[in-house]
Amino acid sequence: MAGVREWVVALRGGRRMLLAAVLGALLALAQPPLSCPWVLFAALPVLLWLMDGAGGPGAAFRIGWAAGTGHFGTALFWIVSPFMVEPEVFGWMAPFALAGMAAGMALFWGVPFALARLWWGRGAWRVLALAGCWTLAEYARSHVLTGFPWGLVAYAWVETPVMQAAALAGPHGLGLLTLVAAL
């Protein structure tokens, strides 16, 4: 496992961004309707390793943005459905809607990744920095411009008994606990 970690940390450029986007897309598989929450425990540590290799906040932003674009591009697949009512008229807009929405929503991942990198340390501190910043960004995404809380980390638990913890901690508290446990 140490060899895989070292390989991920050493990635640069397009390979790093591609891996981040694939990891984000995998994280979307944890969301309903597929509901595979175990994916969190496979993909999130690799994202943390990518962050370990980031040289600074700019590189961390790009990792978060790429992961967010992959995540929202996969999780928001349904956004193209209205364009298919009259596909000969509106179908051409569907890819632009999906790509634009995914890229815009991914900003809510890029910013916390960059902020977390400012406080990056060793061991558990880096996990707490990323999990805390990410949770605050998800809270902001749920409220800014009337909010769009689609695909929150906690939603991975919707079809499991773990979701009952949201009754006590709310979706953002459960998301924070999930991130801390999985990172």
Side-chain angles (χ1 to χ4, degrees):
M1 190 62 101
V4 174
R5 182 189 181 282
E6 301 309 319
W7 178 80
V8 170
V9 169
L11 285 176
R12 297 287 177 259
R15 288 182 178 169
R16 178 190 293 173
M17 296 305 103
L18 178 61
L19 179 57
V22 167
L23 291 169
L26 285 174
L27 289 173
L29 300 179
Q31 303 288 321
L34 295 177
S35 299
C36 300
W38 58 267
V39 171
L40 298 170
F41 296 93
L44 287 173
V46 182
L47 266 178
L48 188 71
W49 298 340
L50 281 174
M51 286 287 289
D52 284 338
F61 175 87
R62 289 187 294 279
I63 291 167
W65 184 82
T69 301
H71 175 76
F72 291 111
T74 305
L76 297 175
F77 68 91
W78 53 269
I79 203 113
V80 301
S81 294
F83 297 98
M84 297 304 149
V85 172
E86 292 184 65
E88 65 282 354
V89 177
F90 303 109
W92 67 272
M93 290 187 261
F96 296 105
L98 180 59
M101 187 74 158
M105 298 301 288
L107 295 172
F108 284 97
W109 282 30
V111 170
F113 276 58
L115 290 174
R117 188 63 195 176
L118 292 174
W119 298 299
W120 210 249
R122 297 222 173 251
W125 179 250
R126 70 194 212 292
V127 170
L128 295 175
L130 183 56
C133 290
W134 197 340
T135 300
L136 290 174
E138 288 214 330
Y139 182 82
R141 183 168 59 88
S142 298
H143 293 86
V144 169
L145 300 174
T146 72
F148 189 69
W150 193 272
L152 297 176
V153 172
Y155 294 171
W157 302 111
V158 165
E159 295 182 6
T160 72
V162 175
M163 192 62 185
Q164 291 300 312
L168 298 173
H172 304 295
L174 180 57
L176 176 64
L177 292 172
T178 300
L179 288 170
V180 169
L183 286 169

